[in-house]
């Protein structure tokens, strides 16, 4: 694996999931694989789980890690080509990224969309510039449109909790939120579950919250949450802002919040969320604090997913 930006960089999801679960069973299985190698983790936005789990994963493989919070600590970066840099940006990515390529063997990068111009965000200009100019493998720690380490984790969590012979029914449901959030987690979850192909996959959201079809194609999509939840084995809860009329909040109907009452029609579904979660906005306390909730197990699995990805990059 030369980079990890989306599911397209993975040759076999099932093998990667097996590798993650092997590391979960034996964290130091490959403890010398990354000895003498260094990973840089650049954050243009806040993070708790991704920042910590990826460092632990790298360290389990013997790598050194350095975290750099570009936002508050680094120079303001410019990404436009042929721009006259007479404004607020201080350093062009063309100059910064090759330097990082000299310091590190692998570069992890978290960016976020601005949610102003769809074409700009969906071109993935920021992460693509780092790939182009750093000259080393780049791992997405969440980009403008996708969150692949989260999605791999989500499949690891489903795989380790599902023991029946039949295919599970997995439902991705939109939830209310107080802020306009990116579509990254939902896009990425849809992309990975579709590519995995081992579940009956339903997406439910209010009208006007359609995601980009390039990620959802293959899923059943409905605006009727009650119908979607019926018989679900897994319910993945996530807010996202509108994609078509980009970055807006059209609906914040609290009736879309997942509650125990709604779970009653499911197959005692496992409930997932990438975290951080707004309690009693996206998900009720009663659900998050119940035995149905997988959120802590899911966040714990971030380590093993990251370790499997770094291992693939180190051995390629
Ligand atoms: N789920 C997730 O990426 O969490 P952080 O933003 O805390 O890294």
């Amino acid at each position: 694996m030369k980079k990890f930006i989306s599911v397209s960089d993975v040759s076999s999801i099932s093998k990667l999931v097996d590798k993650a679960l092997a590391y979960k069973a034996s964290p130091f299985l490959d403890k010398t694989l990354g000895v003498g190698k260094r990973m840089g983790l650049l954050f243009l936005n806040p993070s708790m789980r991704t920042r910590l789990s990826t460092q632990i994963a790298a360290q389990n493989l013997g790598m050194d890690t350095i975290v750099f919070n570009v936002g508050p600590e680094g120079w303001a970066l410019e990404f436009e080509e042929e721009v006259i840099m007479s404004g607020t940006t201080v350093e062009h990515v063309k100059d910064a990224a090759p330097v990082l390529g000299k310091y590190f063997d692998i570069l992890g990068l978290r960016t976020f969309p601005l949610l102003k111009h769809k074409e700009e965000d969906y071109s993935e200009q920021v992460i693509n510039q780092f790939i182009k100019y750093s000259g080393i493998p780049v791992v997405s720690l969440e980009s403008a449109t996708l969150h692949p380490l989260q999605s791999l984790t989500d499949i690891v969590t489903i795989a380790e909790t599902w023991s029946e012979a039949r295919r599970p029914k997995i439902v991705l449901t939109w939830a209310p939120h107080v802020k306009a959030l990116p579509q990254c987690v939902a896009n990425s979850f849809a992309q990975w579950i579709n590519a995995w192909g081992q579940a009956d996959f339903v997406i439910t959201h209010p009208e006007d919250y359609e995601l980009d079809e390039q990620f959802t194609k293959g899923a059943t999509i409905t605006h009727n949450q009650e119908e979607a939840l019926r018989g679900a084995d897994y319910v993945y809860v996530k807010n996202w802002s509108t994609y078509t009329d980009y970055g807006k909040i059209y609906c914040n109907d609290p009736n879309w919040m997942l509650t125990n009452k709604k779970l009653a029609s499911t197959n005692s579904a496992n409930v997932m969320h990438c975290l951080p979660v707004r309690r009693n906005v996206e998900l009720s306390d009663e659900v998050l604090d119940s035995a149905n909730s997988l959120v802590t197990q899911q966040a714990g699995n971030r380590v093993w997913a990251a370790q499997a990805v770094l291992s693939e990059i180190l051995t390629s």
Side-chain angles (χ1 to χ4, degrees):
M1 192 188 289
K2 303 286 183 211
K3 61 178 169 53
F4 185 72
I5 307 301
S6 82
V7 76
S8 312
D9 297 308
V10 177
S11 54
S12 166
I13 296 175
S14 296
K15 282 187 185 157
L16 200 57
V17 168
D18 289 347
K19 191 166 206 172
L21 289 171
Y23 284 135
K24 184 168 186 174
S26 185
F28 303 110
L29 192 64
D30 289 323
K31 66 182 180 195
T32 59
L33 188 64
V35 168
K37 307 270 186 192
R38 189 178 298 119
M39 179 172 188
L41 294 103
L42 262 68
F43 287 88
L44 281 80
N45 286 91
S47 160
M48 183 178 90
R49 280 143 289 268
T50 309
R51 166 187 311 243
L52 298 176
S53 62
T54 311
Q55 285 183 85
I56 295 166
Q59 288 162 13
N60 285 350
L61 295 168
M63 296 186 86
D64 286 331
T65 58
I66 295 178
V67 174
F68 182 37
N69 298 307
V70 182
E73 295 167 5
W75 300 117
L77 289 172
E78 177 62 56
F79 295 95
E80 288 301 322
E81 299 280 0
E82 297 176 17
V83 70
I84 298 169
M85 287 177 58
S86 56
T88 54
T89 54
V90 178
E91 182 166 29
H92 203 285
V93 68
K94 267 177 154 171
D95 303 310
V99 176
L100 300 171
K102 295 290 179 204
Y103 296 161
F104 301 118
D105 300 283
I106 300 177
L107 186 63
L109 182 72
R110 167 166 284 197
T111 69
F112 248 46
L114 295 176
L115 293 178
K116 291 197 171 87
H117 306 292
K118 188 196 297 187
E119 291 72 24
E120 209 169 279
D121 289 340
Y122 274 69
S123 75
E124 291 283 10
Q125 184 195 38
V126 174
I127 201 158
N128 282 331
Q129 298 259 46
F130 275 99
I131 292 168
K132 185 173 172 187
Y133 294 118
S134 69
I136 56 173
V138 172
V139 174
S140 169
L141 305 177
E142 188 170 3
S143 67
T145 66
L146 295 170
H147 197 351
L149 280 177
Q150 181 65 55
S151 309
L152 173 58
T153 302
D154 299 336
I155 294 184
V156 167
T157 308
I158 292 166
E160 74 174 349
T161 52
W162 185 249
S163 54
E164 293 188 35
R166 65 180 176 85
R167 291 157 65 90
K169 177 178 177 181
I170 299 175
V171 178
L172 168 63
T173 179
W174 183 91
H177 203 283
V178 294
K179 284 175 65 183
L181 294 189
Q183 295 99 35
C184 309
V185 170
N187 282 345
S188 198
F189 185 72
Q191 184 189 46
W192 280 72
I193 294 293
N194 279 328
W196 189 43
Q198 295 186 29
D200 296 332
F201 184 35
V202 179
I203 302 173
T204 183
H205 55 71
E207 280 181 35
D208 301 319
Y209 276 83
E210 276 70 23
L211 293 162
D212 187 344
E213 203 190 0
Q214 68 168 306
F215 305 118
T216 60
K217 203 168 182 187
T220 302
I221 299 170
T222 170
H223 299 145
N224 186 334
Q225 190 193 42
E226 194 181 328
E227 179 188 292
L229 291 176
R230 212 167 292 136
D233 300 297
Y234 293 85
V235 181
Y236 200 105
V237 183
K238 188 71 188 87
N239 169 269
W240 61 88
S241 58
T242 53
Y243 168 72
T244 307
D245 180 20
Y246 192 57
K248 306 280 190 312
I249 298 179
Y250 273 9
C251 159
N252 243 344
D253 182 354
N255 287 323
W256 276 83
M257 178 173 77
L258 192 71
T259 59
N260 265 352
K261 193 172 167 203
K262 291 191 175 186
L263 275 184
S265 71
T266 69
N267 185 26
S268 193
N270 288 306
V271 177
M272 303 176 73
H273 188 287
C274 62
L275 302 181
V277 63
R278 296 270 183 157
R279 278 179 175 255
N280 302 310
V281 177
E282 296 174 83
L283 272 162
S284 67
D285 275 340
E286 59 185 5
V287 175
L288 275 166
D289 298 334
S290 75
N292 294 72
S293 172
L294 289 181
V295 298
T296 307
Q297 181 174 339
Q298 189 183 353
N301 284 339
R302 292 293 304 270
V303 172
W304 320 116
Q307 195 166 332
V309 168
L310 296 179
S311 169
E312 288 291 304
I313 290 174
L314 287 168
T315 50
S316 70

